[in-house]
Amino acid sequence: MRTFILQLTRINFFVAMGAGVLALGWCSFLGLDDAFIFSSLITFSVCSVYNAHRIYKCERKLSQPEMNDWFAKNKALVKTTFFISFMMMFVCLRMLNLTFSQYILLGIGVLFSTWYVVPIFSFRLREISLLKAPLVALVWTGILVVFPQLKSMHFTLDFMAYALAFFCYFLALTIPFDIRDLSLDATTQDTIPMVLGVGKSRWFAGLLLVVSILIIAKINQNSWLMFLLIPSYVITAGFIFATKEDRKDVFYAGLDATMIPVGMAFYLVS
C-alpha cells in the first residue's frame, strides 16, 4: 500500500485531484452548469503539466537524486500518465464552448507553466528572484478561479475579493514547496524561504491563510461556508507548520490534498 501511494504521489495524482475538487467546488459555487467538465479539465491539465515538468526535469537530472532514480525505473508510467491526461484534457476542451478570452487566459497559463521550467530567452521564470512562489499562485488563481468566470465576464467586487483570497491561499500552499527546494534552488535565486528563513516563511504562509479566510468571511454571508472552511484551513495550516526541508514526497502530497476539503466546502454550500 505504501508503495502504491508513493507511485500515485510521484505521478502527481494528489495535486491533480486536489485541483479538480477545488475547481468543482468553486465552479459549483459560481452556479456554472458545466462545473464537472471544468473540474475535469483542470484535473487533467494539472496532471499533464506536472508530469511534463517531471519528465523534463528528471531526464536532465534537475530533480532530487532520489526522484531521478525513481523516474529512471518508472519512465513508462510517467509518460503514459502524461499522454492519457493530455488527451483527456483535449476531450474536455472539445466539450466546453469556451470564449476567446478563456482561450487567451489558458494560453497564458500554458506559456507561464512551460517557461517556469523550460528556459526561454536563456532563463526560466522561476529563476527571477522572489517571483517563483507568487507566479505559481498567480497561475493557479488565474486558471482555477478566473478562467471559469470569464465565460460570463461578470466581475463583481465580491468576485475580485474571492480571487485575492484564493491568491493568498495558493501562495501559502506554495511556500512549503520552496522550503523543500532550498537545496535545489540556485544561491543567486532569492525565494521567500531564502530571504525569510524556514521558520519565518512558515509563519508568513500561516498569515496568508488568515488573510484569505478573513477576506472570505468579510464578503460571505453564508455561515455554513465558514463552518466548513475553517477546519479545512486549520488542516492546511497544520501541514504548513510541520514543513521541513527533508519531508518526504508523501507529506507534500498530503499538503496538495488539503485542497479537497476546501473544494468540498464550496461545493456543499453551492
Side-chain angles (χ1 to χ4, degrees):
M1 177 61 72
R2 186 174 181 180
T3 301
F4 178 66
I5 293 175
L6 181 62
Q7 296 291 84
L8 289 179
T9 297
R10 290 183 169 174
I11 61 171
N12 299 290
F13 172 83
F14 292 104
V15 65
M17 288 302 299
V21 175
L22 183 53
L24 176 63
W26 175 245
C27 290
S28 299
F29 187 74
L30 292 177
L32 300 182
D33 294 331
D34 42 11
F36 180 76
I37 302 176
F38 265 112
S39 67
S40 298
L41 172 63
I42 296 300
T43 300
F44 292 119
S45 297
V46 169
C47 192
S48 60
V49 167
Y50 273 63
N51 279 296
H53 288 179
R54 177 85 74 221
I55 294 167
Y56 180 87
K57 290 191 293 184
C58 287
E59 287 188 340
R60 290 159 180 78
K61 307 298 182 184
L62 299 175
S63 294
Q64 297 282 3
E66 181 184 357
M67 181 63 73
N68 293 331
D69 292 341
W70 175 86
F71 176 78
K73 299 174 183 177
N74 297 273
K75 187 181 299 185
L77 173 64
V78 179
K79 291 188 174 182
T80 300
T81 303
F82 165 74
F83 177 78
I84 293 174
S85 57
F86 189 74
M87 291 297 101
M88 291 303 299
M89 179 183 70
F90 275 98
V91 170
C92 293
L93 280 173
R94 289 292 301 271
M95 295 173 67
L96 290 168
N97 185 23
L98 299 182
T99 64
F100 178 73
S101 58
Q102 284 178 308
Y103 276 113
I104 291 295
L105 181 57
L106 196 60
I108 292 173
V110 171
L111 173 62
F112 281 3
S113 297
T114 303
W115 198 354
Y116 181 78
V117 172
V118 181
I120 300 177
F121 304 118
S122 302
F123 74 96
R124 299 177 296 170
L125 289 177
R126 62 181 289 160
E127 296 171 352
I128 301 175
S129 293
L130 296 177
L131 184 62
K132 184 182 174 186
L135 177 63
V136 173
L138 183 64
V139 171
W140 275 74
T141 304
I143 299 302
L144 265 75
V145 180
V146 179
F147 174 70
Q149 186 70 357
L150 274 177
K151 194 161 192 174
S152 67
M153 296 296 289
H154 187 57
F155 296 115
T156 63
L157 289 177
D158 281 357
F159 175 82
M160 299 306 294
Y162 273 118
L164 177 59
F166 273 111
F167 175 80
C168 292
Y169 171 77
F170 289 130
L171 183 54
L173 281 185
T174 304
I175 289 174
F177 292 91
D178 278 356
I179 294 175
R180 179 197 63 182
D181 293 342
L182 276 170
S183 61
L184 286 177
D185 291 329
T187 55
T188 55
Q189 173 197 351
D190 290 331
T191 61
I192 292 174
M194 286 181 178
V195 174
L196 298 180
V198 173
K200 290 181 180 178
S201 295
R202 289 193 296 243
W203 280 105
F204 178 58
L207 177 61
L208 287 169
L209 285 181
V210 172
V211 172
S212 176
I213 199 71
L214 286 178
I215 292 173
I216 295 174
K218 176 69 175 178
I219 60 178
N220 182 73
Q221 302 300 317
N222 189 333
S223 60
W224 277 106
L225 177 60
M226 297 308 301
F227 177 79
L228 295 169
L229 269 185
I230 290 175
S232 303
Y233 270 56
V234 170
I235 294 171
T236 304
F239 272 91
I240 288 173
F241 283 104
T243 300
K244 298 178 182 178
E245 191 176 350
D246 59 353
R247 288 291 190 185
K248 300 298 183 181
D249 292 338
V250 174
F251 173 86
Y252 291 99
L255 178 60
D256 286 326
T258 61
M259 289 187 285
I260 293 176
V262 174
M264 288 303 300
F266 279 96
Y267 180 80
L268 290 173
V269 300
S270 62

